[in-house]
Amino acid sequence: MSKFRTTVLAAALGMAALPGTAMAKPPLGEVREIHDGLMAVGIADEIRNRCDGISARMLTAMGYLNTLKNRARALGYSNEEIEDYVTSKAEKKKMRADGEAYLAARGVSAKDTAALCRVGREEIARGSAIGALLREK
């Protein structure tokens, strides 16, 4: 192998090892499957807290959260990045706005408990991501 090729190969391998040259990950809040999964958990939690006739499937919810965390890790996010995302006040604010937009698209105000409980029962009946985390008492 020529000295030039050896130098180019060495440089290419060295560049690939640099963290800044790796393909940049999007912020965790922009990873749709993680965002949507956490939003489902948040909406389910709101429903179970406000609706007397609906409770949480706590073991299912804990398992689902663990699955989301493992998926984030598999996508290359560190435990610190995951923790920063789920504890961020700014991210929680965005998530709440997205949850309220989801409900509004269903014709429901997040402040209308009766309508929220109706959505909860509909989600349970549909077996949606939200409904799978809930059960009627």
Side-chain angles (χ1 to χ4, degrees):
M1 192 184 288
S2 76
K3 186 172 178 145
F4 177 74
R5 282 187 186 161
T6 304
T7 304
V8 170
L9 180 60
L13 290 174
M15 293 288 287
L18 294 174
T21 62
M23 197 171 215
K25 296 178 297 204
L28 198 47
E30 292 177 13
V31 178
R32 195 89 252 149
E33 66 183 298
I34 303 299
H35 173 274
D36 290 353
L38 288 174
M39 189 171 76
V41 171
I43 292 171
D45 190 50
E46 187 75 13
I47 290 169
R48 69 122 182 156
N49 282 322
R50 295 194 26 213
C51 302
D52 290 335
I54 298 175
S55 62
R57 294 180 184 274
M58 293 303 283
L59 292 177
T60 300
M62 297 301 279
Y64 187 58
L65 287 170
N66 195 42
T67 297
L68 290 172
K69 185 174 186 176
N70 288 337
R71 179 62 181 144
R73 276 197 217 120
L75 291 170
Y77 295 90
S78 68
N79 287 335
E80 183 179 349
E81 288 171 309
I82 295 166
E83 186 67 21
D84 288 348
Y85 171 63
V86 299
T87 59
S88 165
K89 289 182 181 184
E91 290 296 334
K92 286 179 183 181
K93 188 175 181 178
K94 287 181 202 174
M95 188 67 68
R96 177 161 275 300
D98 289 348
E100 288 178 0
Y102 172 84
L103 293 171
R106 305 257 331 251
V108 174
S109 165
K111 295 177 183 180
D112 185 347
T113 299
L116 187 65
C117 297
R118 176 184 49 78
V119 167
R121 288 188 297 279
E122 290 170 358
E123 296 286 342
I124 293 168
R126 282 188 11 204
S128 69
I130 295 167
L133 301 170
L134 300 169
R135 70 169 143 234
E136 291 192 68
K137 290 183 185 178

